[in-house]
Amino acid sequence: MYREIINDLKKWKNKSRRKPLLLTGVRQCGKTYIIDEFAKECFDSYVYVNFESSENLLAVFEYDYDVKRIVTELERHFKTKIIPGETLIFFDEIQECPRAITALKYFCENMKELHLVCAGSLLGVALKEKNISFPVGKVNRLQLYPMSFKEFVIANDREDLIEVFKDWPTDRVIPELYANPMERLLKEYYIVGGMPEVVKTWVETHDFAEVEEVQNEILSDYADDFSKHAPLSEIPKIRWIWDSVPVQLAKENNKFVFSHVKEGKRSAELEDALCWLSDAGLITKTELVEKPELPLSGAADKTYFKVYMSDIGLLRAKSRVSAQTIMDETDGFVRFKGAFAENYVLNELKSLGKEPYFWRSGNSAEIDFLFETNGEVFPVEVKSADNTQAKSYKQFCKKYKMRRGFKLSRKNIAENLCEATKTLSLPLYIGWNIDAYI
């Protein structure tokens, strides 16, 4: 299946100042698959080292950090000549070999010409919890997310629709010829999400029951990870927070409230558990910005935030909203409709490399997302229906007079002025192309 990150991998391959690459991403989002595809497409040979399934290879790193010796021993083990510039080495599940993580420093310094990629499940958690000497400044990084809506559309053999909307003009109404299939695909994406195994199941079967079976397996695997990898004292708290996310998202004021996780529990008792889920890539926090000043990270209130799930399909499965409810847009979907639209847009922005925040003025006004690009701040209002009237957005634009803003909804494309802010209304299904309109 097509993944956009392949283009970033190719750029990394040809960088003059290339370093070993650390590929991060939530478990089962397709890291191993995409590196296998990258190796097949761009290299003459490939050495795959899985430290979880081949524990004997840990011994290669126990003696010293002489990278020439390490490469020679890998050649001997895999009976493959490793040729810098022609061979890709992939250290998978690298968290199982802390000395291999430390060795990245020496590969960077002493064998720059070698192409080396590493990845691992729960790597963010492992790096914090284990006593690992991390090679700061000696690695390049890429983040892989679950498949975006654009990638989902392509996987469903509708790349033609992506081509249609690459440069769609703002003054041309989108006809039903293109809008209807995209709206249906978006509903399917809300149900299926972007986990590659789930998408593959959907493409092969078009059976929502089969899809849900795979999603529940992944959710069970995540729950097993809590028991295997989290500190014993944190496991119940992690489960409480994990189960609380869909419920808190569905609230009208969806600020994350620790006291709503478990009665009688305070933030000080639950913060470590929330951080564990964030480090594992399972959730994303967006923080409050009261004044949209650059950089947004400097203006953020880290104590006031919302929490979203990394995959819209898993959110749907965990919320127990039936597929048919979404396809038919029945009343049973009303409670979660806004939450799903917000979580979807958040994940799309993240997949575009943006770091979203949100703005709130007391309890009277809110902008769903703010992001910064090229020294500018852009507000994004999200609506799950075709009503784009938003007092909060108008209030924000009047106060801060941004150059450009966006409204994402079920409404057709249109452009207008809102208190001197040039505002583009985009259908939710082309949020993946927001950069083209900046």
Side-chain angles (χ1 to χ4, degrees):
M1 290 182 286
Y2 171 74
R3 303 301 306 271
E4 295 236 70
I5 200 171
I6 196 75
N7 299 316
D8 296 317
L9 290 168
K10 290 175 180 177
K11 288 177 185 176
W12 168 80
K13 176 181 183 291
N14 297 317
K15 280 177 69 170
S16 59
R17 297 180 64 251
R18 185 185 62 251
K19 303 173 184 178
L21 177 66
L22 180 64
L23 181 65
T24 54
V26 67
R27 189 169 182 248
Q28 299 188 43
C29 70
K31 296 184 292 295
T32 303
Y33 169 83
I34 197 62
I35 297 302
D36 286 349
E37 292 299 304
F38 176 49
K40 290 174 189 173
E41 187 175 340
C42 299
F43 291 88
D44 295 330
S45 57
Y46 177 43
V47 172
Y48 175 66
V49 182
N50 188 313
F51 290 112
E52 188 174 65
S53 61
S54 303
E55 292 184 9
N56 58 321
L57 288 174
L58 273 63
V60 173
F61 295 84
E62 288 174 358
Y63 181 61
D64 59 23
Y65 293 116
D66 182 341
V67 293
K68 290 183 179 179
R69 177 194 61 77
I70 291 170
V71 167
T72 298
E73 292 198 30
L74 291 175
E75 286 179 325
R76 194 175 296 136
H77 178 84
F78 289 101
K79 299 179 174 58
T80 300
K81 188 68 177 170
I82 294 174
I83 304 171
E86 298 179 15
T87 305
L88 176 67
I89 299 179
F90 181 26
F91 291 163
D92 203 359
E93 304 299 351
I94 195 172
Q95 77 281 350
E96 300 298 329
C97 185
R99 286 183 63 86
I101 295 175
T102 304
L104 298 177
K105 173 181 186 289
Y106 300 95
F107 277 103
C108 177
E109 293 175 348
N110 302 322
M111 202 174 280
K112 286 182 177 289
E113 67 277 15
L114 183 68
H115 291 83
L116 173 61
V117 178
C118 56
S121 301
L122 301 175
L123 188 55
V125 170
L127 290 174
K128 280 197 172 182
E129 293 181 354
K130 295 183 179 181
N131 186 21
I132 297 173
S133 176
F134 188 79
V136 177
K138 302 296 182 180
V139 297
N140 298 133
R141 289 174 178 262
L142 281 177
Q143 176 85 15
L144 181 63
Y145 297 97
M147 295 174 71
S148 66
F149 179 60
K150 176 182 177 180
E151 291 169 334
F152 178 80
V153 172
I154 293 171
N156 279 271
D157 201 27
R158 291 307 309 265
E159 188 173 0
D160 59 306
L161 291 171
I162 299 300
E163 290 297 323
V164 163
F165 288 110
K166 269 185 178 176
D167 54 1
W168 192 273
T170 59
D171 59 353
R172 182 188 173 191
V173 172
I174 300 170
E176 291 183 358
L177 172 68
Y178 303 126
N180 288 350
M182 286 294 269
E183 286 174 354
R184 181 177 179 85
L185 282 162
L186 184 58
K187 287 183 183 180
E188 292 170 354
Y189 184 66
Y190 278 16
I191 297 162
V192 176
M195 299 304 282
E197 185 182 359
V198 183
V199 175
K200 183 173 183 289
T201 300
W202 170 248
V203 169
E204 291 176 350
T205 68
H206 279 77
D207 185 328
F208 288 129
E210 292 280 339
V211 162
E212 193 152 320
E213 185 176 324
V214 180
Q215 287 171 328
N216 287 332
E217 288 171 1
I218 292 173
L219 289 171
S220 295
D221 288 344
Y222 286 170
D224 288 344
D225 284 339
F226 304 160
S227 301
K228 291 177 184 175
H229 301 286
L232 191 61
S233 62
E234 296 298 313
I235 294 171
K237 302 171 190 175
I238 290 170
R239 293 187 191 280
W240 296 337
I241 292 174
W242 181 235
D243 290 340
S244 170
V245 172
V247 179
Q248 297 218 34
L249 261 180
K251 294 183 305 180
E252 186 172 347
N253 178 353
N254 54 8
K255 172 200 173 188
F256 190 83
V257 181
F258 282 106
S259 61
H260 293 176
V261 173
K262 189 76 172 179
E263 189 176 350
K265 294 296 178 182
R266 296 171 300 172
S267 60
E269 299 175 83
L270 298 172
E271 280 176 347
D272 287 348
L274 184 75
C275 285
W276 193 96
L277 287 166
S278 179
D279 290 339
L282 295 173
I283 62 170
T284 299
K285 290 168 59 179
T286 62
E287 297 167 348
L288 171 70
V289 169
E290 291 184 339
K291 291 184 179 180
E293 300 169 345
L294 291 169
L296 290 175
S297 59
D301 181 352
K302 298 187 181 303
T303 67
Y304 197 110
F305 54 87
K306 303 180 193 177
V307 174
Y308 298 90
M309 283 182 62
S310 62
D311 179 67
I312 186 72
L314 294 182
L315 171 63
R316 196 275 313 169
K318 194 161 179 58
S319 304
R320 300 187 184 280
V321 175
S322 74
Q324 210 54 51
T325 294
I326 293 174
M327 295 305 295
D328 295 342
E329 298 188 67
T330 61
D331 292 342
F333 187 39
V334 171
R335 182 185 172 202
F336 284 95
K337 200 171 185 180
F340 280 29
E342 263 192 58
N343 209 131
Y344 158 73
V345 172
L346 179 279
N347 290 346
E348 291 291 288
L349 291 173
K350 292 288 287 185
S351 72
L352 292 170
K354 306 189 185 308
E355 194 60 43
Y357 298 83
F358 71 99
W359 174 82
R360 183 170 286 169
S361 175
N363 293 317
S364 61
E366 179 179 318
I367 297 296
D368 295 305
F369 300 111
L370 302 175
F371 67 86
E372 60 182 90
T373 296
N374 299 327
E376 284 190 75
V377 174
F378 298 88
V380 179
E381 183 74 11
V382 179
K383 297 290 185 183
S384 59
D386 57 5
N387 176 17
T388 60
Q389 295 300 314
K391 292 180 181 178
S392 295
Y393 183 85
K394 186 175 183 179
Q395 180 179 325
F396 179 88
C397 293
K398 184 176 182 179
K399 188 172 184 178
Y400 296 108
K401 298 177 174 57
M402 298 295 176
R403 179 181 67 86
R404 161 71 92 182
F406 296 93
K407 293 182 180 181
L408 272 65
S409 70
R410 296 281 297 275
K411 196 173 181 180
N412 212 306
I413 195 168
E415 192 164 34
N416 53 62
L417 284 178
C418 178
E419 300 292 339
T421 296
K422 198 173 183 181
T423 299
L424 179 62
S425 289
L426 281 177
L428 285 160
Y429 57 74
I430 49 175
W432 53 269
N433 202 26
I434 200 168
D435 279 339
Y437 298 100
I438 286 177

